[in-house]
């Protein structure tokens, strides 16, 4: 069971009770402007070299490709850092396993005059709420490797290519000269 502290005057309270709808806050509208904004780190020359070799670049062409790849990853980092569009569409719902926390009652439960509503949630993935994770607090700013983002993109594109190839083979047109009746 996970809980949500609410003021009885809040829009969230009435939408949960009257409409059976739960409000997910937009990542772009959180109190901390840095929350949900990762830092995209550039890969080292050694990481780029391993990546290029893995992708089939010949050792003789490595130096020129290494410089171009470094420039590409730098441009990707800049583009990703400016992209806030996903933050508008991503939502966060904060729940807690505690229904008796005095500080939570004070801050989110309308100074002890609100309510605490319980939800029967199955983690890590719930049919109604979707994916849920325990918050991990850190002293350092989270980093996502631009190289890792590129690998994920290429892997997903390869998956689509393979699906399309299988579909084409399955639905391939009849051979020339084959009777089509």
């Amino acid at each position: 069971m996970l809980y949500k502290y609410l003021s009885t005057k809040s829009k969230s309270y009435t939408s949960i009770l009257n409409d059976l709808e739960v409000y997910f806050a937009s990542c772009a509208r959180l109190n901390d402007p840095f929350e949900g904004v990762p830092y995209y780190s550039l890969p080292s020359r050694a990481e780029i070299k391993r990546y290029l070799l893995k992708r089939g670049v010949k050792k003789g062409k490595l130096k020129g490709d290494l410089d171009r790849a470094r420039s590409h990853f730098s441009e990707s980092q800049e583009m990703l850092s400016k992209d806030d569009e996903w933050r508008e569409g991503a939502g966060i719902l904060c729940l807690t396993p505690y229904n008796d926390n005095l500080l939570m009652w004070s801050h989110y439960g309308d100074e002890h005059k609100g309510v605490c509503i319980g939800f029967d949630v199955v983690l890590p993935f719930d049919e109604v709420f979707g994916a849920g994770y325990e918050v991990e607090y850190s002293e350092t700013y989270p980093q996502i490797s631009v190289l890792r983002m590129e690998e994920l993109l290429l892997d997903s594109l390869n998956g689509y290519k393979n699906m399309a190839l299988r579909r084409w083979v399955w639905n391939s047109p009849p051979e020339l000269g084959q009777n089509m009746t």
Side-chain angles (χ1 to χ4, degrees), residues 99-118:
N99 64 356
D100 58 356
N101 183 295
L102 291 177
L103 192 58
M104 298 287 274
W105 274 111
S106 174
H107 285 282
Y108 304 108
D110 197 18
E111 298 177 358
H112 306 272
K113 297 178 277 197
V115 295
C116 184
I117 298 176

Side-chain angles (χ1 to χ4, degrees), residues 16-116:
I16 290 171
L17 292 184
N18 297 338
D19 307 323
L20 300 177
E21 291 181 355
V22 179
Y23 173 72
F24 282 66
S26 166
C27 290
R29 291 178 177 64
L30 298 174
N31 294 343
D32 181 350
F34 298 105
E35 198 159 15
V37 181
Y39 171 74
Y40 295 97
S41 63
L42 284 174
S44 68
R45 288 184 72 80
E47 289 171 317
I48 295 173
K49 184 177 178 179
R50 282 193 300 275
Y51 171 78
L52 292 174
L53 290 171
K54 180 179 161 186
R55 294 281 175 198
V57 173
K58 304 292 181 219
K59 285 189 180 188
K61 289 189 64 187
L62 200 54
K63 184 174 178 358
D65 286 346
L66 198 59
D67 292 336
R68 282 193 297 281
R70 181 78 175 164
S71 175
H72 165 75
F73 287 127
S74 182
E75 289 171 12
S76 294
Q77 178 194 35
E78 187 176 333
M79 181 190 68
L80 287 166
S81 297
K82 291 179 181 176
D83 181 20
D84 269 351
E85 189 175 311
W86 72 269
R87 291 182 72 223
E88 287 291 334
I92 292 180
L93 172 66
C94 296
L95 302 172
T96 177
Y98 309 106
N99 64 356
D100 58 356
N101 183 295
L102 291 177
L103 192 58
M104 298 287 274
W105 274 111
S106 174
H107 285 282
Y108 304 108
D110 197 18
E111 298 177 358
H112 306 272
K113 297 178 277 197
V115 295
C116 184

